[in-house]
DNA sequence: ACCTGAACACCGTTCAAGT
DNA sequence: ACCTGAACACCGTTCAAGT
């Protein structure tokens, strides 16, 4: 089972999202296509397993710094998650598609919840906030990756932003004055800076919901 | 071209995300598969066209109420967008996959930007905020739809939440106390209430960046 | 438990050709 | 401009069978 998931992930890393297929995994293992069904019930399960595998990587990498203000700790957590996902761009789409219901997803969620409860959020709000943060991380990564071919490694951020800027220069300023006037910023929508700006807005909003200690 | 996109959308509505294929569209129009390439260069272009088509529906539905506080207007705008997307669940995934670079996407973005600039955000922040809001809307909808089969109409929210609650009841409280303790809330992650709670957090964070009038 | 051959009902896309 | 036949190189999945 492990080798099957590993093969699937390396196919995604090298060839992007389309590179994953049951037959390709079989080929990669030197085996006939139907052999895969000995290990995995169907393709959807294989995708869920890949998601779980990547979450395991994330779990290892997310060392919870117990120092600093809670907003900093949450921001670090989110940034690490993003880094891990961007390191496997071919698999990023799967996170929007395959339900994150495995053990590793639970473990990650529990940790994030802990961080937010420690911050002083009521448990109900902590739960909502955890999901809000995941939507931000997963959504940002998915949209960022969607503009690439999904192979690893991603082109450097500066290049991707520059390409967007070139494309945005064709926006007619007469018809769309605001969009044209902020093309520089819109080009950088797929950047770490945008991600963290958004995260900052989000954390400010959460701060207002922290109950006085 | 129009009939091709209409056929694609109705396939998605009736059969979910997997129902869209070049061959199925051809079949739906009573024509051979390769005929489709007279109208559209490839499958990716077809998907972009579907996205544009749905954005056109959204554009029609997003009537900008000029009354009320800016945060209310932005929230209404986001909620309408969400409604339109949830009304075509089979196409929701396409929004995380196909770049939103068409005319209708631009028009929608320009309107949102206008709303945010009127609110008093500096143009650069308005641009970042517009994207942040889109990530929230698109991300929330995609994750919400991912737990269904993507056919139209979606099961009622109450049913989807109840199904999640049943699944979450299996979370071991010993290992994941926080998750288990907030299962009720986590079940409702795929609800309008969660969407608007998150939107509220976001708007509060943005309020702090509005420059004094 | 692990693997196979053979088959079924599909894909996206290209090319030369016809009206 | 619109459509076709024929073909190529693929898919996911099932089933009966073999070790």
């Amino acid at each position: 089972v492990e080798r099957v998931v590993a093969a699937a992930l390396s196919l995604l890393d090298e060839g992007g999202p389309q590179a994953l297929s049951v037959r390709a995994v079989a080929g990669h293992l030197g085996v006939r296509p139907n052999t895969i069904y000995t290990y995995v019930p169907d393709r959807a399960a294989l995708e869920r397993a890949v998601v779980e595998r990547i979450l395991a990587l994330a779990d290892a990498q997310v060392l919870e710094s117990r120092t600093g203000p809670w907003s900093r700790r949450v921001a670090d957590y989110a940034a690490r998650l993003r880094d891990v996902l961007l390191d496997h761009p071919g698999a990023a789409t799967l996170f929007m598609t395959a339900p994150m219901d495995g053990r590793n997803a639970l473990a990650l969620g529990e940790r994030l919840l802990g961080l937010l409860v420690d911050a002083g959020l009521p448990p109900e709000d902590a739960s909502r906030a955890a999901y809000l943060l995941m939507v931000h991380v997963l959504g940002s990564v998915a949209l960022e990756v969607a503009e690439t071919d999904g192979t690893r490694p991603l082109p450097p951020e500066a290049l991707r932003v520059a390409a967007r800027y070139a494309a945005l220069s064709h926006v007619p300023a007469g018809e769309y004055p605001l969009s044209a006037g902020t093309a520089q910023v819109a080009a950088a929508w797929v950047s770490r800076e945008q991600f963290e700006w958004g995260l900052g807005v989000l954390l400010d909003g959460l701060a207002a919901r922290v109950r006085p200690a």
Side-chain angles (χ1 to χ4, degrees), chain A:
Chain A
V1 194
E2 266 181 46
R3 293 181 62 230
V4 172
V5 179
L9 183 52
S10 82
L11 280 167
L12 286 168
D13 285 343
E14 276 160 48
Q18 328 158 323
L20 176 61
S21 76
V22 174
R23 295 180 108 104
V25 169
H28 199 271
L29 297 176
V31 103
R32 300 292 156 198
N34 43 3
T35 303
I36 301 302
Y37 292 87
T38 306
Y39 303 95
V40 144
D42 56 16
R43 192 202 153 116
L46 178 57
E47 293 180 350
R48 283 198 301 273
V50 170
V51 166
E52 270 290 288
R53 161 82 95 186
I54 292 179
L55 289 180
L57 300 180
D59 201 45
Q61 209 144 355
V62 174
L63 34 121
E64 323 184 27
S65 51
R66 273 270 163 234
T67 67
W70 68 268
S71 59
R72 182 68 150 65
R73 299 214 305 263
V74 172
D76 279 358
Y77 193 90
R80 299 249 197 182
L81 227 53
R82 175 173 176 272
D83 286 342
V84 173
L85 296 179
L86 284 182
D87 200 34
H88 298 282
T93 314
L94 300 182
F95 285 82
M96 304 304 296
T97 281
M100 284 183 29
D101 50 9
R103 320 282 306 170
N104 293 327
L106 256 177
L108 224 62
E110 182 78 11
R111 288 229 230 174
L112 184 51
L113 265 176
L115 236 47
L116 293 165
V117 167
D118 283 354
L121 281 171
E124 290 80 13
D125 280 357
S127 174
R128 286 186 262 258
Y131 187 68
L132 177 61
L133 286 163
M134 291 305 294
V135 167
H136 181 66
V137 173
L138 298 180
S140 296
V141 169
L143 288 176
E144 190 163 346
V145 163
E147 304 198 358
T148 73
D149 65 5
T151 59
R152 186 193 195 199
L154 244 35
E157 181 181 294
L159 238 66
R160 290 183 279 123
V161 170
R164 278 179 58 85
Y165 187 66
L168 286 168
S169 70
H170 300 337
V171 172
E175 209 172 343
Y176 309 103
L178 298 171
S179 302
T182 54
Q184 193 106 243
V185 180
W189 280 352
V190 294
S191 69
R192 163 171 280 261
E193 194 189 4
Q194 165 76 29
F195 175 79
E196 296 198 324
W197 186 88
L199 202 55
V201 168
L202 227 137
L203 291 171
D204 283 357
L206 289 179
R209 280 152 182 88
V210 169
R211 84 179 138 206

